[in-house]
Amino acid sequence: MNSRLFKTFPLKINGFVLVFSLLVFASLIKLGLWQLDRAAQKDIRLEKIQLYQQQEAIGLKDVLNLQAQSKHEKDVSEELNDLPVRLSGRFFQPSFLLDNQVSKGRLGYQVIKLFQDEESNSAVLVNLGWIQGGVDRSFIPEISEINGKLSFTGKIRVLESAIVLEDEVLKADTWPQRIQSIDIDKISQLLAQPLLPFIIYVDNDEPLGYQKEWVPIVMPPEKHRGYAFQWFTLAFAWLVLMFVAAYKAANTNND
């Protein structure tokens, strides 16, 4: 019976082709599983954001206490991300322009400034929103000074490691300074000022700052699941293609 089955479906697959096909198939499955994992992470984060929306903003002093109580850096980072906070203090002159930020098809910058919080006696970087740039790369938009004591609310954003093509050199005599990514350690060294290991995004409804359209999750979980389905479909199609190719090759050789 087995011999008749192989005569009906003669398959002869080259060893190299077999290994290559399995590697491609496994890679496609892995990409699909990765997208499902990302969707699960986004679901958890959305649930946490909804929970935070029901809470009042806390001061940075309380945030530092949460950090001190946590034994694991990863756990505290996940707990602090998106946490609503209130700040009271003063901005300082140094301004950074985070490059390549697009809003409604227009190229511009995110404005980042240094803030000294009085309650916690700590310095933190604050994202004040988006400002339009220009086609001419030599043009640097003017950033207004923010004077006096201010109080406002925002959300904590724990930054992920950015992918940069080359090491960025910050200059102490260039203000406002255009940057490709926010490296808190480098900025801290430049300013000779210890900084908290996260950035504050000013709430969208606050009058302070510039154009604010920040959303915590750009790609929703549903989109990740859609991509996962596409990867799994490609994996299945690739497997079918390889079987069809092997079958045709075997028939050709038999002829």
Side-chain angles (χ1 to χ4, degrees):
M1 181 176 178
N2 291 338
S3 60
R4 288 199 300 270
L5 181 64
F6 275 99
K7 287 180 181 179
T8 307
F9 298 103
L11 296 177
K12 295 181 180 180
I13 304 176
N14 178 276
F16 172 78
V17 174
L18 176 61
V19 172
F20 175 75
S21 300
L22 291 176
L23 285 175
V24 172
F25 177 77
S27 298
L28 293 172
I29 293 295
K30 186 175 181 180
L31 287 170
L33 293 174
W34 176 72
Q35 288 290 348
L36 288 180
D37 182 63
R38 292 290 292 162
Q41 293 176 16
K42 296 290 181 68
D43 283 330
I44 294 173
R45 188 176 175 190
L46 283 173
E47 291 176 1
K48 186 184 68 172
I49 291 172
Q50 290 178 355
L51 180 63
Y52 281 160
Q53 288 176 344
Q54 302 171 11
Q55 302 177 4
E56 292 186 2
I58 65 174
L60 282 185
K61 188 175 181 179
D62 294 327
V63 172
L64 296 180
N65 289 335
L66 288 175
Q67 280 189 306
Q69 293 171 6
S70 178
K71 297 180 179 179
H72 302 285
E73 183 178 346
K74 182 179 179 182
D75 292 340
V76 72
S77 295
E78 292 178 353
E79 184 179 355
L80 295 183
N81 209 21
D82 306 307
L83 186 68
V85 291
R86 64 175 185 274
L87 296 89
S88 182
R90 299 175 183 274
F91 281 97
F92 288 87
Q93 179 57 25
S95 300
F96 297 90
L97 298 175
L98 182 60
D99 204 355
N100 300 315
Q101 303 299 304
V102 179
S103 175
K104 299 178 181 178
R106 299 173 297 165
L107 189 62
Y109 305 92
Q110 294 284 346
V111 180
I112 313 294
K113 287 185 73 71
L114 177 66
F115 184 83
Q116 182 71 33
D117 182 66
E118 291 185 352
E119 180 187 6
S120 62
N121 193 29
S122 55
V124 64
L125 295 177
V126 174
N127 189 321
L128 291 166
W130 182 89
I131 189 171
Q132 186 168 354
V135 178
D136 183 2
R137 297 295 294 167
S138 64
F139 169 74
I140 300 293
E142 183 178 350
I143 305 300
S144 303
E145 292 187 23
I146 304 177
N147 299 313
K149 183 178 177 180
L150 294 170
S151 297
F152 60 93
T153 58
K155 303 292 189 300
I156 289 179
R157 175 78 179 275
V158 179
L159 300 176
E160 298 178 356
S161 299
I163 300 176
V164 292
L165 299 178
E166 61 181 46
D167 192 35
E168 188 169 24
V169 178
L170 303 183
K171 302 177 181 179
D173 58 349
T174 304
W175 304 108
Q177 186 159 176
R178 185 162 52 200
I179 55 176
Q180 301 301 315
S181 63
I182 302 174
D183 188 323
I184 292 180
D185 291 336
K186 278 189 175 183
I187 294 176
S188 177
Q189 293 176 9
L190 176 70
L191 301 177
Q193 169 73 59
L195 299 174
L196 294 180
F198 49 76
I199 189 169
I200 305 296
Y201 277 65
V202 178
D203 281 339
N204 292 345
D205 57 357
E206 284 280 358
L208 174 68
Y210 302 89
Q211 181 176 324
K212 297 184 292 293
E213 299 174 345
W214 179 65
V215 291
I217 294 180
V218 178
M219 185 180 294
E222 294 75 17
K223 206 160 195 176
H224 285 289
R225 294 190 183 94
Y227 286 141
F229 177 76
Q230 291 179 4
W231 287 121
F232 291 143
T233 302
L234 285 173
F236 176 75
W238 174 262
L239 200 61
V240 171
L241 179 63
M242 290 300 99
F243 272 108
V244 170
Y247 177 78
K248 288 185 177 180
N251 279 340
T252 301
N253 291 335
N254 288 338
D255 293 342

